Amino acid sequence: MELRQLRYFMAVADELHFGRAARRLHMSQPPLSVQVSRLEREVGVPLFERSTRRVSLTPAGLHLQARARRILDEVDSVRGEMRDYVDGLAGQLSAGFVSSANYTVLPEVVQLFRARRERVSLTLVPLTSGEQFDRLRDGTLDIGIVRDEVPTGPSSPGLTTEVVYEERLVMCVPTGHPLASRTEVTAEEIIDVPMITYPRSLMPGFVDRVDEVLGISAGTMRIVEEVVHQETALGFVAAGVGASILPESVRQLVPPSIAVVPIAGSPTTRLLAARRTADDDNAVCAAFIECLHDAAASLRAAQPA
Amino acid sequence: MELRQLRYFMAVADELHFGRAARRLHMSQPPLSVQVSRLEREVGVPLFERSTRRVSLTPAGLHLQARARRILDEVDSVRGEMRDYVDGLAGQLSAGFVSSANYTVLPEVVQLFRARRERVSLTLVPLTSGEQFDRLRDGTLDIGIVRDEVPTGPSSPGLTTEVVYEERLVMCVPTGHPLASRTEVTAEEIIDVPMITYPRSLMPGFVDRVDEVLGISAGTMRIVEEVVHQETALGFVAAGVGASILPESVRQLVPPSIAVVPIAGSPTTRLLAARRTADDDNAVCAAFIECLHDAAASLRAAQPA
DNA sequence: TAAAAATACTCCATAGGTATTTTAT
DNA sequence: ATAAAATACCTATGGAGTATTTTTA
């Protein structure tokens, strides 16, 4: 028994006329007759009573009509459901994110995405930018929210990036620090300050960015500590170990013992959406990126600084 | 999308291994791979993630697995249901019966059959034997309960008959009649009695039988009336118009004004099951005939006269 | 007699088989 | 190096078309 036969059978059952049914199926009458009688032979019972003047359903045919309708309808809806996977209305998305995204776009993105694509199961993985690049390449991750990677740059072959959100860089110092009361500091003033920074391997983009802001090569900074998370960096700052350059959104995290000082020229750091260039037709990814942009827009609207 | 493809897909989804799945399907691996990827191309979304070492379902594949299982199960049960029509467990039966059967096997037959074949819709049509033969031949009737037709005789070409129940013939006369008080009458005594009888065209078997009992040719009897139903015949007898020869089961119908007199030699009349010789593989018919025999047996057991 | 289904046949699309290649571990 | 899926190619089944026959109302 094949679906084709059920479809043919249904057409004849509806029309009660092999010729008309064949026309409806865009085929000629003889193969239709053949297929129907083949189906009858298979199930072992006549489905139609035919004469040259009248075709009618047998009890078995009547029964099959009801059942076949259900089956064919089900097949149709499966087709639609499969389409939903193509269109990104259903499926799965593994999204990586740098932990600092938690304080900007991430909460809203998740909320938006879950509302818009409730049949997509979203997995969120906190990872550094570097880890995300690796996992995007090996396919373990569908999309990454990374910081300051150069778009389409040589450091990320096979990956596409797109700017999502931009914010200013600020310097965090202990409140007792000489620069703590300043309304602004310059790069020159920062160079001599003992600095808490990040391993380049894990956060290439952001580290490059900071170097760029300071206008120096990485080696010349006075690095007293390398940490992986903003929270850790702030802990060291609060403990008086040194200063740290961070995205302005950390204001939400700083205790009273830490002063946040803007940097001259308001240099910025950016969140980027990164994905494999190979599957840029992934509709779920596209929808997620749209949510990212919308969340960023609503963030900017809320803080029109 | 065809059922074959769904079946193949399910095998691979179960085994998560194209080679094993192919073996289970009794086919070689390459065409299986081809069919699955054809299905994937049709639905537009990958169903499996394959490497040479591991095959796993994508979210879409997982979804399809659940849906396809339902669909294939449904197709299987339809197959079973169609089998029921072959086996006569479901379907339709049009059964004709001579009205006199009402007083013997019919009530029990209907009860038995409805109990044993509850998914067969039984249509009962009261018809004379002659009418039943006609309708059996043109297919309007599946089985007939007729009286005294010659089994496989030339009067019923294309029909098969089978004796179901036998009962004695009796003579019914008005209580005032000279023969009314007799314990038995002979054929010779009856010949001169004005007789209420039946049109040969409608009841060939029974009329032949009566003639045979009386040992005369039809023309020589003193026929005063031809009627179609036993009830009518009894009405005329009660009215004193004449006598009538009937199956003994009419005792249930006779009013006090009518006497029932056995005939010498206890000649009998028989109920026969008639059906088209052509469809003697009709399982529903067979089941009905079995009910007829069982009902007749239980009747004989109840009246061991 | 005419309308419609069944049959006969022909052709080609495609399912399935075998041999081989590719790929990932 | 090896196991397993994909690919290439071939064969043959059978689905669909055209022409024709059969059937019955």
Side-chain angles (χ1 to χ4, degrees), chain A residues 179-232:
Chain A
L179 294 174
S181 55
R182 299 282 290 279
T183 55
E184 193 175 85
V185 295
T186 63
E188 292 75 36
E189 290 174 310
I190 296 171
I191 286 181
D192 290 331
V193 177
M195 200 61 72
I196 295 146
T197 180
Y198 309 92
R200 162 168 271 105
S201 65
L202 290 179
M203 308 180 178
F206 186 66
V207 172
D208 285 351
R209 186 81 192 95
V210 170
D211 287 356
E212 192 187 319
V213 166
L214 299 182
I216 57 168
S217 68
T220 59
M221 220 192 321
R222 283 188 54 201
I223 296 169
V224 292
E225 203 69 49
E226 283 194 338
V227 299
V228 175
H229 292 112
Q230 293 184 345
E231 290 82 348
T232 323

Side-chain angles (χ1 to χ4, degrees), chain B residues 18-19 29-30 33 50 52-53:
Chain B
F18 280 76
Q29 168 263 317
S33 292
R50 316 109 146 106
T52 56
R53 298 283 162 182

Side-chain angles (χ1 to χ4, degrees), chain B residues 89-123:
Chain B
L89 298 175
Q92 212 177 44
L93 190 77
S94 289
F97 64 98
V98 291
S99 60
S100 63
N102 254 325
Y103 309 110
T104 55
V105 293
L106 199 65
E108 172 123 17
V109 163
V110 172
Q111 199 179 334
L112 273 177
F113 187 79
R114 289 214 204 278
R116 291 185 192 171
R117 294 294 140 104
E118 52 185 22
R119 284 159 57 213
V120 174
S121 100
L122 176 64
T123 309

Side-chain angles (χ1 to χ4, degrees), chain B residues 170-171 179 185-195 213-214 221-222 243 245 261-264:
Chain B
V170 296
M171 186 180 71
L179 294 174
V185 295
T186 64
E188 292 76 34
E189 291 172 312
I190 297 171
I191 286 181
D192 291 328
V193 177
M195 199 62 72
V213 166
L214 299 182
M221 222 193 319
R222 286 186 52 201
I245 294 181
V261 185
I263 299 173

